[in-house]
């Protein structure tokens, strides 16, 4: 069983963040029928559904329905969001039973100071409401060296607005029960036009995770934004056949030895973290 499966319910985003690789695919939203089909096919493969690869999941009008449906199938739903729509959709999101919300605070690293303060303050309010409803909230600052001083600003605003023990750990800070802050380095997305990153490559793709793009394309990890490594399509193929295909098994065996069988993987900066 996989630790997580990424389902891209939409590849449409309401922002254009400097750190994001973006994609060249046709803008699309997954239908409820398509999502239900995927849930049925994944029942023996994971218990945790992550609602992103590209796109902002909160732009999908049926997101609460998707979360409720996933719960009926026994899945826990994890959202990763830029946070800009959380105030607007807070009540319907929490009432749907979302398990965890990851908020990428670095989405606003290029914004003006006044807007940033308002943005982080509103997210602090969301986090308190979410924690009270039993939802885990993780603030992410995965942009060391690229924040222009905003990371400290974010930290200060959150600390002013959220009471807690604020205990530091290896990943960041445990603010209080169900509310956390994570630090991280900015990473280079894999790109066909990028240079080779290293001789050794290791990845958790196809070992702990895989992804499904909005059109049903199955990819080995959450960083294949354009579906370059197309392993098959879950809408018209059995997921077991896709994951047991020669291309997929060759990738998995290669990673065990530190080798990348796919050219895109050789150009992935994130994969170098695990070598």
């Amino acid at each position: 069983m996989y630790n997580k499966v990424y389902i891209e319910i939409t590849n449409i985003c309401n922002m254009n963040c400097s750190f994001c690789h973006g994609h060249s695919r046709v803008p699309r939203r997954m239908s409820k029928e398509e999502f239900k089909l995927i849930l049925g096919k994944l029942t023996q493969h994971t218990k945790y559904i992550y609602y992103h690869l590209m796109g902002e999941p909160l732009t999908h009008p049926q997101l609460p329905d998707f979360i409720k449906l996933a719960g009926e199938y026994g899945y826990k739903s994890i959202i990763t969001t830029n946070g800009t729509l959380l105030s607007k959709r807070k009540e319907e999101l929490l009432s749907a039973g979302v398990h965890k919300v990851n908020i990428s605070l670095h989405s606003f690293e290029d914004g003006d100071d006044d807007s940033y303060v308002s943005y982080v303050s509103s997210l602090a309010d969301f986090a308190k409401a979410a924690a009270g409803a039993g939802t885990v909230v993780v603030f992410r600052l995965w942009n060391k060296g690229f924040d222009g001083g905003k990371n400290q600003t974010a930290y200060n605003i959150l600390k002013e607005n959220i009471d807690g023990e604020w205990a530091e750990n290896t990943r960041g800070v445990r603010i209080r029960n169900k509310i956390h802050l994570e630090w991280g380095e900015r990473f280079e997305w894999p790109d066909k036009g990028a240079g080779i990153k290293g001789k050794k490559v290791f990845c958790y793709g196809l070992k702990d995770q895989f992804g499904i793009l909005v059109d049903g394309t199955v990819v080995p990890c959450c960083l294949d934004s354009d579906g370059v490594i197309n392993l098959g399509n879950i809408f018209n193929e059995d997921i077991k056949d896709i994951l047991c295909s020669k291309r997929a098994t060759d990738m998995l065996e290669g990673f065990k030895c530190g080798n990348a069988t796919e050219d895109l993987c050789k150009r992935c900066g994130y994969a170098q973290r695990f070598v």
Side-chain angles (χ1 to χ4, degrees):
M1 184 162 291
Y2 294 84
N3 290 339
K4 64 189 79 171
V5 175
Y6 295 89
I7 303 178
E8 182 187 71
I9 62 172
T10 179
N11 59 11
I12 299 168
C13 191
N14 62 333
M15 294 186 69
N16 185 26
C17 303
S18 60
F19 68 86
C20 183
H21 182 273
H23 66 87
S24 58
R25 293 175 283 129
V26 175
R28 191 178 189 278
R29 288 192 177 101
M30 189 175 287
S31 70
K32 188 175 180 179
E33 291 71 26
E34 290 172 330
F35 186 70
K36 186 175 182 179
L37 175 64
I38 291 173
L39 294 180
K41 291 191 174 186
L42 293 181
T43 52
Q44 302 300 314
H45 296 279
T46 192
K47 290 296 181 183
Y48 294 90
I49 300 296
Y50 282 64
Y51 289 66
H52 78 285
L53 277 90
M54 289 283 102
E56 167 54 55
L58 269 73
T59 65
H60 199 303
Q62 292 182 292
L63 175 60
D65 294 332
F66 285 15
I67 295 171
K68 291 176 184 176
L69 186 60
E72 292 172 7
Y73 274 80
Y75 298 103
K76 293 184 182 296
S77 293
I78 295 91
I79 304 294
T80 298
T81 174
N82 58 44
T84 57
L85 300 175
L86 280 174
S87 294
K88 180 180 179 181
R89 306 200 69 181
K90 176 179 67 176
E91 298 302 329
E92 57 179 335
L93 185 64
L94 297 182
S95 64
V98 63
H99 173 67
K100 181 179 179 182
V101 179
N102 297 315
I103 306 173
S104 299
L105 292 177
H106 45 275
S107 299
F108 252 73
E109 65 186 19
D110 299 322
D112 65 81
D113 292 342
D114 290 341
S115 296
Y116 190 72
V117 171
S118 176
Y119 163 74
V120 177
S121 298
S122 70
L123 295 178
D125 291 339
F126 170 81
K128 289 183 288 186
T135 297
V136 178
V137 176
V138 179
F139 295 106
R140 288 178 172 177
L141 285 167
W142 289 6
N143 62 344
K144 285 185 179 180
F146 292 88
D147 65 293
K150 283 189 167 66
N151 283 2
Q152 188 60 50
T153 299
Y155 182 92
N156 293 341
I157 296 170
L158 293 175
K159 194 165 188 179
E160 288 172 6
N161 286 276
I162 306 175
D163 293 329
E165 61 264 35
W166 285 84
E168 295 189 9
N169 53 50
T170 55
R171 300 191 66 178
V173 179
R174 184 186 188 276
I175 298 175
R176 73 185 202 200
N177 185 40
K178 296 190 181 299
I179 307 179
H180 304 265
L181 173 64
E182 286 185 356
W183 305 105
E185 304 288 341
R186 182 186 280 203
F187 60 88
E188 285 188 63
W189 291 69
D191 188 277
K192 293 182 292 184
I196 302 296
K197 301 303 179 183
K199 293 183 179 179
K200 288 286 186 178
V201 174
F202 179 80
C203 181
Y204 289 100
L206 296 176
K207 180 178 184 293
D208 293 339
Q209 60 167 277
F210 62 90
I212 302 168
L213 300 181
V214 69
D215 66 352
T217 299
V218 177
V219 292
C221 78
C222 62
L223 297 180
D224 188 355
S225 60
D226 272 318
V228 174
I229 308 175
N230 183 341
L231 300 175
N233 194 294
I234 197 169
F235 291 153
N236 49 48
E237 297 176 64
D238 191 299
I239 189 63
K240 291 181 180 179
D241 293 337
I242 295 173
L243 297 174
C244 293
S245 67
K246 186 178 186 305
R247 188 176 188 182
T249 53
D250 284 350
M251 285 187 69
L252 188 57
E253 290 303 312
F255 288 141
K256 291 179 181 178
C257 304
N259 298 319
T261 59
E262 296 287 339
D263 187 63
L264 187 68
C265 300
K266 298 174 184 177
R267 304 172 191 279
C268 179
Y270 192 81
Q272 292 301 308
R273 294 184 174 197
F274 308 113
V275 174

